[in-house]
């Protein structure tokens, strides 16, 4: 699945020549594929909202008889031709795609980061080429002033051994400076990988260009209770994608039709989830690479437009049906 997704992105990239725009086009294609299922979900949710008063009446009438309530609710669903599960279909379909995109972006980012490290080691006086997009200088690092445009030690530690082995071949290792030329393929095995990355980082830290690129601005470190943030001298972005992800997630939640809660617990849970997802989006997109954050934001924005268009269409359709009923009854 990962190779299939990255293959599509690669094909779009061969046409557009920019990974940022390629990811946006790819996201549009994914949303178009899911749109028929999204439409069916909106229709089902509207039907559920219409039978909500009947459901509330049944819950009140059979509050002390759960078996009878379940029977009556099942009869109501059958009579009204609705299903409480049909609205979850798009989420069930999009969730595996989200996970696959997350994994694919991580794999692709890891490969790009290792290539950038190799370029720095082989050309220590030249800033490596980055896949940029608008204000994001390196798509494979977070869109944040707190993240360096160059991969840091923590980023390198997250890359698995198979990616290192793919690019640190014996022929490439022989061209590396200092003690790194003594590395072997076995140096990137899982049990010694961290030691090898530490050696690579030590060599990188001795390079003036890398030191400059991964250093923070003096006086711009913010200490919190559990962590600290520093604005980087060569920062990678403006933190716009994480903010857009949270705002778009909140907007999408607001315009998505919701079933009226039938008890205080449901209402409390609904309010919690309304704010949980935007905050989760903010955290995810500020801690992960800009390419994935761009996918997330683009997906949310397209979903907002789709939801607005579908709601408008269903409103007009219901108005037309009501007008037809009044016309027939008038005759």
């Amino acid at each position: 699945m990962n190779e299939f997704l990255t293959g599509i992105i690669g094909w779009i990239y061969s046409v557009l020549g920019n990974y940022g725009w390629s990811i946006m086009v790819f996201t549009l294609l994914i949303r178009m594929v899911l749109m028929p299922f999204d439409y069916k979900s909106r229709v089902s949710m509207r039907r559920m909202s219409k039978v909500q008063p009947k459901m509330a009446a049944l819950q009140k009438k059979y509050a002390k008889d759960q078996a009878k309530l379940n029977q009556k609710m099942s009869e109501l669903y059958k009579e009204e031709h609705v299903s409480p599960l049909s609205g979850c279909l798009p989420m069930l379909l999009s969730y595996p795609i989200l996970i696959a995109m997350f994994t694919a972006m991580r794999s692709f980012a890891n490969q790009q980061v290792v290539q950038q490290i190799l370029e720095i080691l082989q050309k220590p006086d030249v800033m490596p080429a980055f896949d940029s997009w608008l204000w994001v200088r390196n798509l494979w690092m977070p869109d944040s002033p707190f993240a360096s445009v160059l991969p840091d030690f923590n980023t390198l530690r997250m890359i698995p051994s198979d990616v290192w082995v793919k690019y640190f071949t014996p022929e490439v290792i022989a061209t590396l400076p200092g003690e790194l030329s003594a590395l072997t393929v076995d140096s990137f095995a899982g049990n010694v990988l961290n030691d090898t990355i530490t050696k690579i980082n030590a060599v990188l830290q001795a390079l003036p260009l890398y030191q400059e690129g991964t250093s923070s601005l003096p006086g711009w470190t913010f200490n919190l209770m559990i962590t600290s943030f520093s604005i980087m001298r060569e920062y990678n972005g403006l933190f716009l994608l994480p903010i857009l992800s949270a705002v778009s997630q909140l907007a999408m939640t607001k315009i998505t039709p919701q079933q009226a809660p039938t008890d205080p617990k449901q209402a409390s849970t609904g309010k919690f989830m309304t704010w949980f997802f935007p905050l989760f989006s903010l955290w995810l997109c500020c801690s992960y690479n800009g390419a994935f954050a761009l996918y997330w934001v683009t997906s949310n924005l397209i979903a907002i437009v789709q939801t607005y268009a579908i709601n408008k269409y269903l409103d007009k359709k219901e108005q037309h049906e009501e007008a037809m009923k009044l016309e027939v009854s008038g005759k």
Side-chain angles (χ1 to χ4, degrees):
M1 184 66 172
N2 293 340
E3 293 182 0
F4 175 72
L5 293 175
T6 54
I8 295 178
I9 296 175
W11 177 80
I12 300 174
Y13 173 78
S14 67
V15 177
L16 300 180
N18 181 276
Y19 276 113
W21 300 118
S22 299
I23 290 169
M24 296 183 72
V25 171
F26 171 77
T27 308
L28 176 61
L29 294 177
I30 293 296
R31 296 301 312 186
M32 289 177 64
V33 171
L34 294 177
M35 188 171 182
F37 301 100
D38 197 28
Y39 174 79
K40 291 182 179 180
S41 173
R42 303 303 175 196
V43 172
S44 176
M45 292 175 68
R46 284 190 170 232
R47 289 177 178 174
M48 287 294 295
S49 64
K50 287 184 177 181
V51 301
Q52 193 71 30
K54 296 181 180 180
M55 293 170 58
L58 290 175
Q59 290 171 340
K60 182 177 181 180
K61 183 176 181 180
Y62 301 102
K64 298 182 180 180
D65 190 344
Q66 188 64 41
K68 191 69 172 180
L69 174 61
N70 293 338
Q71 177 187 344
K72 291 297 183 180
M73 292 287 279
S74 179
E75 292 174 356
L76 177 63
Y77 292 149
K78 187 175 181 180
E79 178 184 344
E80 298 290 342
H81 304 288
V82 297
S83 171
L85 300 178
S86 58
C88 301
L89 182 58
M91 183 180 296
L92 294 176
L93 289 172
S94 61
Y95 185 72
I97 294 177
L98 176 63
I99 296 300
M101 281 297 299
F102 185 91
T103 305
M105 288 296 179
R106 179 176 59 187
S107 175
F108 207 91
N110 288 339
Q111 296 180 44
Q112 298 296 318
V113 166
V114 170
Q115 291 183 65
Q116 290 171 9
I117 292 299
L118 269 176
E119 192 171 344
I120 294 172
L121 291 173
Q122 294 173 334
K123 300 177 181 179
D125 298 325
V126 181
M127 186 72 78
F130 299 120
D131 294 309
S132 61
W133 178 81
L134 296 182
W135 64 86
V136 184
R137 298 176 62 188
N138 185 357
L139 274 172
W140 315 112
M141 292 293 290
D143 171 25
S144 172
F146 308 113
S148 167
V149 68
L150 294 174
D152 57 13
F153 180 61
N154 290 328
T155 301
L156 301 185
R157 289 175 57 194
M158 301 300 293
I159 302 176
S161 60
D162 61 311
V163 179
W164 290 102
V165 171
K166 181 178 179 180
Y167 294 97
F168 276 69
T169 62
E171 294 78 14
V172 171
I173 291 175
T175 66
L176 299 180
E179 63 175 326
L180 297 184
S181 61
L183 295 175
T184 65
V185 173
D186 293 335
S187 301
F188 296 94
N191 58 330
V192 295
L193 178 60
N194 192 61
D195 292 336
T196 302
I197 294 175
T198 301
K199 292 179 181 179
I200 293 174
N201 183 64
V203 174
L204 290 171
Q205 292 296 336
L207 303 177
L209 181 144
Y210 188 81
Q211 289 181 12
E212 179 76 10
T214 55
S215 63
S216 59
L217 290 174
W220 288 93
T221 297
F222 306 94
N223 293 310
L224 303 179
M225 294 181 62
I226 58 176
T227 187
S228 63
F229 299 94
S230 299
I231 296 181
M232 308 306 293
R233 192 181 301 274
E234 293 288 344
Y235 59 85
N236 190 51
L238 303 176
F239 210 75
L240 296 181
L241 287 177
I243 293 175
L244 286 174
S245 72
V247 173
S248 60
Q249 190 73 44
L250 180 62
M252 189 168 61
T253 303
K254 293 294 185 181
I255 69 171
T256 300
Q258 303 290 333
Q259 297 180 28
T262 56
D263 59 66
K265 289 184 177 180
Q266 288 184 355
S268 178
T269 301
K271 290 181 180 179
F272 171 77
M273 298 306 290
T274 297
W275 292 103
F276 170 77
F277 284 115
L279 292 175
F280 174 74
S281 298
L282 178 67
W283 171 81
L284 186 63
C285 291
C286 73
S287 60
Y288 205 56
N289 63 69
F292 179 78
L294 180 59
Y295 162 76
W296 188 289
V297 170
T298 303
S299 181
N300 282 350
L301 294 177
I302 295 174
I304 289 172
V305 174
Q306 285 183 340
T307 300
Y308 179 79
I310 290 174
N311 288 343
K312 277 290 187 180
Y313 171 76
L314 292 177
D315 286 342
K316 290 184 178 181
K317 185 177 180 181
E318 290 179 358
Q319 292 173 2
H320 177 72
E321 290 175 352
E322 290 295 329
M324 292 296 293
K325 289 180 181 179
L326 290 175
E327 184 178 342
V328 171
S329 61
K331 293 180 180 180

